[in-house]
């Protein structure tokens, strides 16, 4: 398989910053070797077990409980060599009709094998493997298991163990576990979860068989059963999952306890029951949420509590099927075992059954704590994910975890089955195997080597002499020093030749008195490095740091060197890389990832103070300020005029450390730049607020030293106050050690402000002839062609200032009082001058609007402008004429003179047509234009309002013309043609299937839902190993509703929303929980293919 496809399948992420060593880039993939039809019907991958022979060979045992053999659905077990690309083969050893029974050799009828679900459970232990067929029914036996020694071969005869000695037990072998019980004795524990025969309900039982562990024939020594409720309200499913470990009994006695889940005990709440080795019930772990299947799967972890186990319990249907996991952390004291309980909610908001599979995967990172894999096989739209959580003394670490997704390769139910603990590539780290509902391939994720990195620096006892200026930054002599990071690494287990990681070196992180030589604004450097295990120590190139010029604090400053995982880890070369699917990528250990090396750097700093200590220095400054106005008497506020102050500072009394020069200036004055006159007088200035500037002075400034610099300003014409007569500046010197200024001074300069306009306007012609058309043309029928002659009105506007004393005027309003309509005899109001277009030349910064200038009946033919918001008077309008206003807002009107270059004025032209029908006699029309600056123009001493006017004479004339009517038949033909086009368009879309797309979409969804129903029917016949997914909403990936009230109502619903197989429909009764396939079971157990009920009862 190509590497790209593998990477797509194993798309994952880690929450947090710590790298995980389960290597997702190089999985070991084995293939079923089955056809597509066989894959769908065999349930290949239903159970998984990693197994190692004593010679070191490693295989994967895979259960396929509906596999076809000799035309019977006996089920079977496949063996796979744990090498990449291997094809699995069915091992017929378990399908033999001969086996060693716990009471001797027995031969069984092959016909009983049909539907037995062989391979439903497959497990591997230290000395044995076990395979179960829980639906094997013959001669009073309901379910059986086989065990074989660790080094089984084709001639090995399996040892058969069944529950035939117990009456009314069904599904024997739903799970199995084995453990050493001492004195060469071995206990085999079998779960039998359901009742049979005449018992309608049954709690389920744990069947324990103790046999000798002497080579040769195994002989039954003892057989015992757990007790349960005589009248359970539900089938409790006791024995659904079984583990052995240490919890309540003194570990020094070396007696294992049996942990068995009952996911429907306590009236559907579920529990994990803890038994002694003699199956005496000690206690149970349970929560309080009904129908949650608490204990559906669980795992025991060693979290460094003296050999006692903490219990990680899955609750896949908690929180409305989102799922939840409970961790019961052992205290290390058997008499009071539970130190605390940790609750881990599902990391995903989808209803994904988080906790359906819970697997101890061993100590994958070799930190001393066992780790766990927890699946949520129905998140990601049903594709499924597996979460990897690290173990610790406080339980599971939940602030960072690894996610392995099945969605990129369209896997469904990814993580349904998990098995782990075997080191398949023998690098010292256990590996994880993951199964899914679609199991044409089984993935084993190998663990990469874990690396510890030691950190140091080359330099020892770094000291910095502040008066030893050994480098220059932007022309300023400063103090520099070097730091050289060094590293070496070792592996926890295995061998790694080269390793890559990222390091960060930061100095004086909090106070920030230093910066990098190349970038003095940052005090840290981050880079990646590759080091070799063949070298005792690898050092990077030295990093040069520089003390900032405003250095004040003489206390030592810290240096910290931190390492983290590389963005792209290095591959680990290996001769076996191709054998297992590709190279591994070593990762940092949890102890090293984020670890730091710290050291204090001590500065040497001596200055001349009265008391001999820098804290006793009390300098005093004399401030002399001289204004430089470039030969003008006052600062012209209306221009971008630049002026400056030359500042001379004289320090007295004591040396001064890290002094700051403060300038308080008027609102609207803009700081431009600063220039040192004496060497290194100032280093940097910044604005504290709109009226205050802070400048860093030379550091230090010694006694009687003069510091001279020049600071430049100019007025900000958009912010300056227009009534200022002078500009006052306040200067002071401060430092961090003194509350009061070390010196202060005040200085003022005079200021002036002025602005002027020039405006001209004209029609371009002095008279125009208006020819009326007879018969009279109504306004509503008029067009531009019938309006009348063109009349253009032009306005020329300029700013008469020059750029040495004026700046552009921010906003100018130009208002034209426009003769819009005229009242004719008989009180008939008609348009007069109809504006059709406006052209502005000389600026792009303008907007025009109007009010009442365009006749409403002609708006579709003329200007379409926004409405004026300002109030403009039209009192100058002629008699019998109603005037509107056309107004243009002009921004940044530049001065007319710029040095020796003249700036062209702005020209505004209004194009209009004369409505000739309104001219009945000769008369004159005058158009007025007003110009004013906006009220926010800050430097106008008096409001500047100018006006201009121009007059044109209108002369009447008369012309007769012929008009025609529009033919009605043309309209009729056009309508009929449009209807025909629409009809044929709809017909064409129908033939193309446009209106049937919804049908095909629904058909596709129905086919997808049928596939899920088929899977659910299989799952139902297998007992409860796979909980049916919660409804068809998984097909569309619907998340939880955002409506909290609706969600609260939904919480009250039971499993009625869950899509269940039709197999269970006959057993749903009123008042029962119908969403659960095991709320009610028939008195007889149906096995596919369905036999007659009478035959089943007789056989049982």
């Amino acid at each position: 398989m190509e590497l790209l496809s593998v990477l797509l399948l194993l798309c994952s992420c880690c929450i947090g910053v710590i790298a995980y060593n389960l290597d997702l880039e190089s999985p070991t993939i084995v293939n079923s070797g089955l056809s597509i039809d066989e894959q769908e019907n065999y349930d290949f991958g239903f159970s998984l077990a990693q197994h190692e022979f004593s010679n070191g060979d490693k295989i994967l045992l895979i259960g396929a409980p509906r596999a076809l053999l000799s035309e019977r659905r006996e089920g079977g077990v496949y063996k796979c060599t744990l090498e990449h690309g291997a094809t699995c083969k069915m091992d017929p050893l378990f399908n033999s009709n001969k086996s060693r029974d716990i009471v001797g050799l027995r031969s069984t009828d092959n016909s009983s094998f049909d539907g037995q679900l062989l391979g439903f459970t497959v497990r591997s232990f230290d000395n044995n493997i076990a395979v179960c067929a829980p639906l094997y029914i013959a001669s009073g036996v309901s379910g059986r298991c086989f065990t074989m020694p660790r080094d089984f071969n084709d001639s090995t005869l399996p040892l058969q163990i069944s529950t035939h000695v117990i009456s009314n037990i069904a599904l024997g072998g739903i799970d199995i576990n084995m453990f050493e019980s001492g004195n060469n004795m071995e206990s085999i524990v079998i779960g039998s979860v359901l009742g049979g025969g005449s018992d309608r309900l049954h709690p389920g039982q744990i069947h324990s068989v103790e046999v000798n562990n002497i080579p040769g024939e195994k002989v039954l020594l003892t057989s015992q059963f757990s007790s349960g409720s005589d009248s359970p309200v539900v089938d409790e499913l006791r024995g659904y999952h079984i583990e052995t470990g240490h919890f309540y009994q003194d570990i020094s006695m070396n007696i294992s306890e049996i942990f068995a889940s009952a996911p429907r005990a306590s009236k559907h709440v579920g529990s994990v029951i803890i038994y002694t080795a003699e199956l005496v019930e000690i206690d149970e772990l349970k929560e309080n949420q009904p129908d949650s299947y608490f204990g559906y799967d669980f795992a025991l972890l060693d979290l460094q509590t003296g050999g006692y186990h903490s219990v990680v319990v899955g609750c896949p249907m908690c929180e409305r099927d989102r799922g939840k996991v409970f961790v019961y952390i052992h205290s290390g004291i058997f008499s009071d075992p539970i130190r605390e309980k940790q609750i881990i909610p599902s990391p995903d908001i989808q209803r994904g059954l988080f906790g359906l599979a819970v697997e101890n995967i061993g100590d994958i990172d070799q930190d001393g704590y066992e780790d766990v894999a927890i699946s949520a096989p129905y998140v990601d739209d049903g594709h499924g994910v597996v979460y990897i959580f690290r173990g610790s003394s406080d339980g599971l670490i939940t602030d960072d975890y690894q996610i392995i997704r099945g969605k990129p390769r369209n896997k469904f139910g990814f993580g349904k089955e998990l098995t782990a603990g075997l080191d398949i590539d023998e690098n010292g780290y256990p590996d994880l195997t993951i199964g899914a509902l679609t199991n044409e391939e089984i993935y084993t994720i190998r663990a990469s080597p874990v690396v510890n990195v030691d950190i140091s620096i080359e330099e020892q006892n770094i000291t910095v002499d502040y008066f030893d200026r050994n480098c220059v930054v932007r022309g300023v002599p400063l103090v520099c020093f070097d730091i050289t990071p060094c590293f070496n690494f070792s592996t926890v287990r295995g061998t790694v030749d080269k390793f890559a990681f990222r390091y960060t070196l930061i100095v004086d992180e909090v106070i920030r008195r230093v910066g990098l030589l190349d970038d003095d604004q940052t005090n840290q450097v981050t880079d990646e490095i590759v080091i070799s295990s063949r070298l005792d120590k690898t050092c990077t190139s030295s990093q040069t740091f520089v003390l900032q010029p405003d250095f004040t604090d003489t206390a030592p400053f810290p240096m910290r060197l931190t390492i983290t995982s590389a963005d792209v880890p290095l591959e680990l070369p290996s001769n076996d890389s191709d054998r297992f699917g590709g190279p591994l990528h070593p990762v940092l250990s949890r102890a090293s990832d984020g670890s730091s090396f710290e050291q204090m750097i001590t500065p040497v700093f001596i200055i001349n103070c009265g008391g001999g200590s820098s804290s006793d220095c009390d300098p005093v400054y004399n401030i002399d300020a001289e204004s430089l106005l470039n030969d003008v008497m006052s600062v012209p506020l209306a221009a971008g005029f630049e002026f400056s102050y030359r500042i001379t500072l004289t320090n007295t009394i004591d040396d001064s450390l890290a002094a700051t020069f403060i300038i308080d200036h008027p609102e609207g004055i803009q700081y431009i730049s600063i220039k040192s006159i004496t060497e290194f007088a100032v280093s940097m200035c910044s604005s504290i607020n709109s009226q205050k500037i802070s400048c860093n002075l030379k550091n230090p400034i010694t006694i009687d030293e003069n510091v001279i610099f020049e600071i430049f300003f100019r007025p900000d014409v958009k912010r300056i106050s227009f009534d200022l007569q002078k500009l006052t500046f306040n200067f002071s010197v401060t430092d961090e050690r003194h509350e009061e200024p070390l010196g202060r001074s005040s200085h003022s300069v005079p200021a002036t402000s002025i602005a002027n306009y020039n405006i001209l306007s004209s029609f371009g012609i002095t008279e125009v002839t208006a020819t009326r058309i007879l018969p009279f043309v109504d306004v509503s029928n008029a067009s531009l062609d019938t309006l009348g002659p063109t009349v253009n009105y032009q306005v020329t506007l300029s700013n008469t200032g020059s750029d040495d004393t004026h700046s552009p005027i921010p906003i100018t309003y130009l208002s034209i009082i426009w003769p819009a309509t005229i009242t004719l005899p008989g009180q008939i109001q008609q348009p007069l001058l109809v504006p059709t277009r406006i052209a502005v030349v000389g600026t792009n910064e303008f907007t025009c609007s109007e009010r009442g200038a365009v006749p409403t009946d002609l708006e579709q033919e003329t200007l379409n402008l926004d409405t004026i918001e300002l109030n403009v008077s039209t009192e100058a309008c002629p008699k019998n004429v109603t005037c509107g206003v056309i107004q243009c807002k002009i921004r940044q009107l530049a001065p007319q003179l710029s040095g020796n270059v003249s700036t062209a004025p702005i020209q505004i032209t209004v194009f209009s047509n004369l409505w000739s029908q309104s001219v009945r006699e000769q008369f004159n029309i005058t158009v007025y234009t007003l110009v004013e600056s906006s009220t926010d123009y800050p430097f106008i001493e008096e409001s500047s309002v100018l006006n201009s006017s121009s007059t044109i004479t209108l002369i009447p004339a008369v012309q007769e013309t012929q008009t025609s009517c529009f033919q009605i038949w043309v309209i009729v033909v056009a309508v009929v043609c449009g209807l025909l086009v629409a009809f044929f368009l709809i017909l064409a879309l129908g033939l193309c299937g446009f209106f049937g797309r919804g049908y095909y979409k629904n058909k596709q969804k129905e086919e997808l839902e049928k596939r899920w129903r088929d899977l659910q029917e299989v799952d139902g016949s297998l007992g409860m190993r796979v909980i049916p997914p919660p409804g068809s909403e998984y097909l569309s990936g619907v998340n939880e509703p955002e409506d909290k009230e609706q969600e609260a109502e939904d919480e009250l619903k039971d499993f009625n929303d869950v899509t269940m197989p039709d197999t269970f429909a006959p057993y749903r009764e009123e008042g029962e929980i119908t969403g659960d396939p095991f709320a009610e079971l028939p008195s007889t157990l149906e096995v596919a293919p369905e036999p007659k009920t009478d035959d089943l009862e007789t056989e049982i």
Side-chain angles (χ1 to χ4, degrees):
M1 180 176 294
E2 297 180 358
L3 177 60
L4 178 59
S5 63
V6 175
L7 291 175
L8 287 176
L9 166 67
L10 296 171
C11 165
S12 70
C13 64
C14 291
I15 309 301
V17 298
I18 301 176
Y20 277 75
N21 65 315
L22 275 182
D23 200 317
L24 306 178
E25 295 188 18
S26 304
T28 302
I29 304 173
V30 298
N31 305 298
S32 66
L34 302 175
S35 67
I36 295 178
D37 181 66
E38 289 173 334
Q39 291 171 13
E40 293 179 351
N41 295 296
Y42 280 32
D43 294 329
F44 178 83
F46 188 81
S47 56
L48 304 171
Q50 298 174 343
H51 181 69
E52 182 177 8
F53 295 96
S54 58
N55 64 0
D57 292 342
K58 301 172 182 65
I59 62 172
L60 192 62
L61 297 173
I62 302 176
R66 301 186 71 85
L68 193 64
L69 184 67
S70 301
E71 299 183 353
R72 291 190 300 270
R73 293 241 175 245
E74 295 185 11
V77 178
Y78 283 73
K79 290 195 305 184
C80 312
T81 303
L82 270 170
E83 295 182 357
H84 185 64
T87 300
C88 304
K89 301 292 183 182
M90 179 185 283
D91 189 342
L93 182 64
F94 296 97
N95 298 79
S96 171
N97 65 341
K98 292 184 178 180
S99 63
R100 290 183 298 113
D101 191 70
I102 55 176
V103 294
L105 186 67
R106 65 183 283 117
S107 177
T108 55
D109 182 5
N110 289 25
S111 62
S112 303
F113 293 174
D114 196 7
Q116 68 177 335
L117 301 181
L118 179 66
F120 182 90
T121 302
V122 177
R123 300 194 69 172
S124 174
F125 306 100
D126 291 340
N127 299 312
N128 298 275
I129 65 169
V131 177
C132 295
L135 284 186
Y136 172 80
I137 301 175
S139 302
V141 176
S142 179
R144 64 173 180 170
C145 294
F146 300 95
T147 67
M148 285 195 294
R150 175 182 181 181
D151 293 323
F152 68 94
N153 54 45
D154 294 342
S155 62
T156 303
L157 197 61
L159 173 67
Q160 175 179 280
I161 304 171
S162 64
T163 57
H164 67 282
V165 295
I166 316 170
S167 62
N168 302 327
I169 286 295
L171 290 180
I174 200 75
D175 199 12
I176 188 170
N177 204 298
M178 303 179 70
F179 64 96
E180 297 290 336
S181 55
N183 297 323
N184 288 319
M185 305 302 295
E186 189 170 38
S187 289
I188 304 173
V189 184
I190 303 175
S192 303
V193 298
L194 295 180
S198 60
D199 283 355
R200 186 183 180 97
L201 297 173
H202 197 281
Q205 282 187 326
I206 313 301
H207 180 194
S208 175
V209 177
E210 190 175 40
V211 298
N212 64 27
N213 200 20
I214 301 173
E217 289 291 322
K218 291 194 176 184
V219 180
L220 170 68
L221 296 181
T222 61
S223 179
Q224 51 202 3
F225 313 96
S226 64
S227 60
S229 173
D230 293 333
S231 301
V233 296
V234 295
D235 290 299
E236 295 183 356
L237 306 182
R238 291 198 183 195
Y240 193 74
H241 182 63
I242 300 173
E243 296 286 351
T244 60
H246 300 281
F247 199 81
Y248 275 106
Q249 294 184 323
D250 190 346
I251 196 171
S252 63
M253 299 172 62
N254 195 27
I255 298 177
S256 295
E257 299 158 63
I258 299 172
F259 298 71
S261 67
R264 288 165 50 82
S266 302
K267 299 181 179 180
H268 293 276
V269 170
S271 67
V272 174
I273 306 169
I274 305 173
Y275 298 92
T276 66
E278 294 77 23
L279 290 181
V280 176
E281 185 173 330
I282 303 174
D283 199 357
E284 64 178 343
L285 307 174
K286 65 180 180 179
E287 297 300 324
N288 56 7
Q289 184 171 337
D291 301 307
S292 62
Y293 278 86
F294 176 86
Y296 180 83
D297 198 6
F298 64 92
L300 306 183
L301 297 185
D302 183 357
L303 300 180
Q304 294 290 338
T305 52
Y308 293 100
H309 292 99
S310 297
V311 188
V312 183
V313 184
C315 186
M317 287 190 172
C318 280
E319 302 296 331
R320 298 186 63 224
D321 302 341
R322 288 191 186 97
K324 186 184 291 185
V325 169
F326 297 85
V327 184
Y328 299 89
I329 305 171
H330 205 285
S331 63
I333 304 172
F334 69 90
S335 59
D336 185 17
I338 300 178
R339 188 184 75 195
E340 61 179 294
K341 179 176 68 177
Q342 181 184 19
I343 301 176
I344 304 175
S346 172
D348 198 287
I349 64 172
Q350 287 186 334
R351 298 169 64 184
L353 305 185
F354 174 68
L356 186 74
V358 181
E359 183 73 13
N360 180 336
I361 59 176
D363 186 5
I364 59 170
D365 55 357
Q366 300 300 307
D367 64 348
Y369 299 93
E370 290 184 329
D371 308 306
V372 67
I374 303 173
S375 74
Y378 297 114
V379 301
D380 271 1
D381 304 332
H383 292 87
V385 301
V386 176
Y387 300 93
I388 308 300
F389 292 91
R390 283 189 171 102
S392 73
S393 60
D394 297 321
L396 300 184
I397 298 173
T398 58
D399 56 355
D400 66 272
Y401 47 84
Q402 187 175 21
I403 302 177
I404 309 173
R405 302 185 183 275
K407 187 173 184 177
R409 281 293 299 276
N410 205 30
K411 289 285 185 182
F412 283 93
F414 188 70
K416 178 190 72 69
E417 285 294 316
L418 304 172
T419 184
L422 194 64
D423 179 12
I424 72 168
D425 54 0
E426 298 181 354
N427 67 345
Y429 302 85
D431 305 312
L432 169 66
T433 300
I434 303 175
L437 285 175
T438 51
N439 264 331
E440 66 277 10
E441 298 169 331
I442 304 293
Y443 292 82
T444 298
I445 314 299
R446 294 177 295 146
S448 292
V450 177
V451 173
N452 289 321
V453 176
D454 296 324
I455 316 170
S456 62
I457 62 171
E458 188 72 10
E459 295 77 14
Q460 300 293 326
N461 301 321
I462 300 176
T463 59
V464 178
D465 187 347
Y466 190 76
F467 289 94
D468 181 15
R469 306 298 178 95
N470 55 357
C471 61
V472 177
V473 179
R474 293 193 295 272
V476 179
L478 296 173
V479 180
C480 294
F481 58 93
D482 292 336
I483 297 179
T484 308
C486 298
F487 311 94
N488 67 304
F489 78 93
S490 60
T491 56
V492 179
R493 287 187 180 180
T495 302
V496 175
D497 292 330
K498 292 183 179 181
F499 185 64
F501 57 92
R502 177 180 292 270
Y503 72 88
T504 298
L505 174 63
I506 184 169
V507 180
D508 204 27
E509 181 176 9
V510 178
I511 305 178
R512 298 179 64 88
R513 292 166 290 180
V514 302
L516 287 171
L517 179 62
D518 297 334
D519 181 6
D520 60 352
Q521 297 304 304
T522 181
N523 61 341
Q524 72 176 42
V525 59
T526 299
D527 200 0
E528 286 195 2
I529 184 175
V530 178
I531 60 178
S532 172
S533 62
R534 293 187 297 269
L535 301 176
D536 293 336
K537 183 170 64 175
T538 300
C539 297
T540 69
S541 57
S542 299
Q543 302 295 332
T544 301
F545 290 84
V546 57
L547 267 69
Q548 301 287 7
D550 57 349
F551 184 97
T552 58
D553 194 336
T554 60
F557 42 84
M559 178 276 300
R560 187 175 76 250
L561 181 60
T562 305
I563 60 172
T564 54
S565 298
D567 292 338
V568 180
L570 288 181
E571 293 182 355
L572 177 63
S574 172
N575 296 330
D576 291 333
S577 294
D578 294 338
R579 177 185 174 192
F580 295 110
L584 294 174
H585 303 79
V587 301
L588 274 175
S589 67
R590 191 197 310 181
S592 294
D593 205 338
S595 63
S596 299
F597 172 82
E598 297 185 3
Q599 181 171 307
M600 301 301 293
I601 300 175
T602 305
V604 177
F605 199 91
I606 302 175
I607 59 177
N608 186 10
C609 296
S613 171
S614 60
S615 61
D616 299 324
C617 285
D618 295 311
V620 176
Y621 282 89
N622 296 325
I623 304 174
D624 179 47
E626 178 187 1
S627 60
L628 305 177
L629 301 183
N630 298 328
D631 299 327
V632 299
M633 299 301 295
S634 61
V635 175
L637 301 180
F641 178 80
E642 186 176 295
F643 64 100
S644 66
Y645 270 98
R646 174 170 290 187
I647 307 296
T648 301
L649 304 177
T650 303
N651 177 31
T652 62
I653 310 297
D654 285 332
D655 288 349
S656 178
L657 182 63
T660 302
F661 186 69
I662 304 295
I663 307 106
D664 289 285
H665 57 80
E667 180 73 27
I669 294 298
Q670 182 179 5
Y671 161 73
I672 300 174
S673 62
I674 196 166
K675 180 177 71 174
S676 293
I677 305 300
T678 58
E679 189 175 24
F680 315 120
V682 288
S683 60
M684 180 182 64
C685 292
S686 59
S687 295
I688 300 175
N689 54 46
S690 62
Q691 293 181 255
K692 181 171 289 190
I693 300 168
S694 172
C695 299
N696 294 333
L697 296 173
K698 177 185 177 183
N699 187 29
I701 300 175
T702 59
I703 299 174
D704 297 329
E705 182 178 359
N706 290 329
V707 175
I708 305 173
F709 55 92
E710 192 171 348
I711 186 166
F712 297 85
F713 303 94
R714 68 177 167 214
D716 183 349
V717 297
K718 298 181 180 180
R719 296 170 45 239
I720 195 72
S721 177
F722 75 94
D723 59 352
L724 288 176
Q725 301 298 316
K726 64 178 181 179
L727 303 175
T728 300
F729 294 82
N730 294 311
F731 306 112
S732 60
V733 178
T734 64
D735 65 15
E736 294 182 356
R737 301 175 183 277
H738 298 82
E739 295 181 0
E740 294 296 324
L742 307 178
R744 63 179 68 193
S745 176
S746 181
H747 196 273
S748 298
V749 293
T752 59
S753 58
I754 187 172
N756 288 307
Y757 292 108
N758 184 44
I759 181 173
L760 296 173
S761 64
S762 69
F763 274 105
I765 57 176
T766 58
E767 62 183 33
V768 64
T769 299
T771 302
R772 286 190 296 153
I773 300 175
L774 296 178
F776 181 76
V777 179
D778 187 70
V779 173
S780 61
N781 294 327
S783 65
L784 292 179
D785 296 334
T786 61
L787 282 176
T790 300
V791 178
N792 299 333
Y793 178 75
Q794 187 176 78
V795 179
T796 302
L797 178 66
S798 60
N799 175 1
T800 59
S802 60
D803 65 353
D804 59 342
T805 59
H806 293 75
S807 65
I809 300 175
I811 297 177
T812 298
Y813 291 102
L814 185 144
S815 302
I816 302 173
I817 311 303
W818 190 259
T821 60
I822 186 170
T823 303
L824 299 177
Q827 300 301 315
I828 300 174
Q829 193 172 41
Q830 292 290 320
L832 189 54
L833 285 180
V834 181
T836 60
R837 184 165 61 92
I838 293 178
V840 180
V841 178
T843 181
N844 292 324
E845 299 189 52
F846 72 93
T847 55
C848 293
S849 54
E850 66 88 23
R851 182 176 65 229
V854 180
T856 57
D857 293 336
L858 293 173
E859 285 185 349
Q860 70 278 14
E861 298 282 0
T862 57
L863 287 176
N864 185 14
L865 302 176
D866 293 336
T867 302
I868 297 173
E869 297 180 359
L870 298 179
N871 185 22
V872 180
S873 173
T874 58
E875 294 179 356
C877 195
K879 183 179 180 181
N880 296 330
V881 175
T882 301
C883 291
V885 179
I886 299 174
Q887 186 179 82
C888 291
K889 181 180 179 181
I890 302 168
R891 300 174 183 84
Q892 301 300 319
L893 183 59
Q896 186 174 3
L897 297 177
S898 179
N900 296 324
V901 180
S902 177
T903 302
I906 294 175
Q907 292 183 344
I908 301 175
T909 303
V910 180
F911 297 87
S912 67
N913 287 79
L914 175 63
W915 179 247
S916 299
Q917 302 295 97
S918 299
V919 181
R920 306 295 176 88
E921 60 183 3
Q922 180 174 322
F923 61 96
N924 296 331
I925 290 295
T926 301
V927 175
Y928 293 89
T929 300
L930 306 178
V931 177
E932 57 183 331
S933 64
S934 65
T935 55
D936 59 356
Y937 186 54
F939 43 80
I940 304 300
E941 294 181 348
E942 297 180 359
S943 179
S944 175
V945 180
L946 303 177
N947 65 77
S948 176
S949 64
S950 184
T951 301
I952 189 171
T953 301
L954 307 181
I955 302 174
V958 177
Q959 176 184 349
E960 294 186 3
T961 187
Q962 181 76 27
T963 61
S964 60
C965 297
F966 201 84
Q967 300 299 320
I968 190 65
W969 65 270
V970 176
I971 299 176
V972 174
V973 171
V975 171
V976 171
C977 291
L979 292 175
L980 288 174
V981 170
F983 172 78
F984 285 112
L985 178 61
I986 293 173
L987 181 60
L989 290 174
L991 293 176
C992 294
F994 180 82
F995 301 103
R997 292 181 181 178
Y999 168 79
Y1000 292 108
K1001 182 178 180 181
N1002 292 335
K1003 186 66 174 176
Q1004 183 180 16
K1005 183 177 180 181
E1006 289 175 5
E1007 292 176 354
L1008 190 57
E1009 288 180 344
K1010 181 178 182 301
R1011 182 181 178 188
W1012 277 96
R1013 285 197 300 272
D1014 293 340
L1015 286 173
Q1016 291 171 351
E1017 290 175 1
V1018 171
D1019 298 338
S1021 67
L1022 299 181
M1024 275 299 299
R1025 177 56 58 89
V1026 177
I1027 297 178
S1032 61
E1033 66 268 29
Y1034 274 90
L1035 304 177
S1036 57
V1038 177
N1039 290 348
E1040 291 301 302
E1042 295 182 0
D1043 188 345
K1044 297 302 182 181
E1045 294 182 1
Q1046 181 63 38
E1047 184 176 5
E1049 295 177 4
D1050 292 344
E1051 290 282 4
L1052 300 177
K1053 293 183 179 181
D1054 216 320
F1055 288 93
N1056 294 321
D1057 292 337
V1058 181
T1059 303
M1060 297 306 301
D1062 294 338
T1063 306
F1064 303 101
Y1067 313 121
R1068 295 174 178 159
E1069 299 180 3
E1070 184 176 359
E1072 293 291 331
I1073 297 175
T1074 60
D1076 190 333
F1078 290 90
E1080 285 288 340
L1081 282 179
S1083 58
T1084 59
L1085 184 64
E1086 294 187 6
V1087 182
E1090 299 180 359
K1092 294 182 179 181
T1093 305
D1094 294 338
D1095 293 340
L1096 268 177
E1097 290 179 346
T1098 302
E1099 191 168 348
I1100 291 175

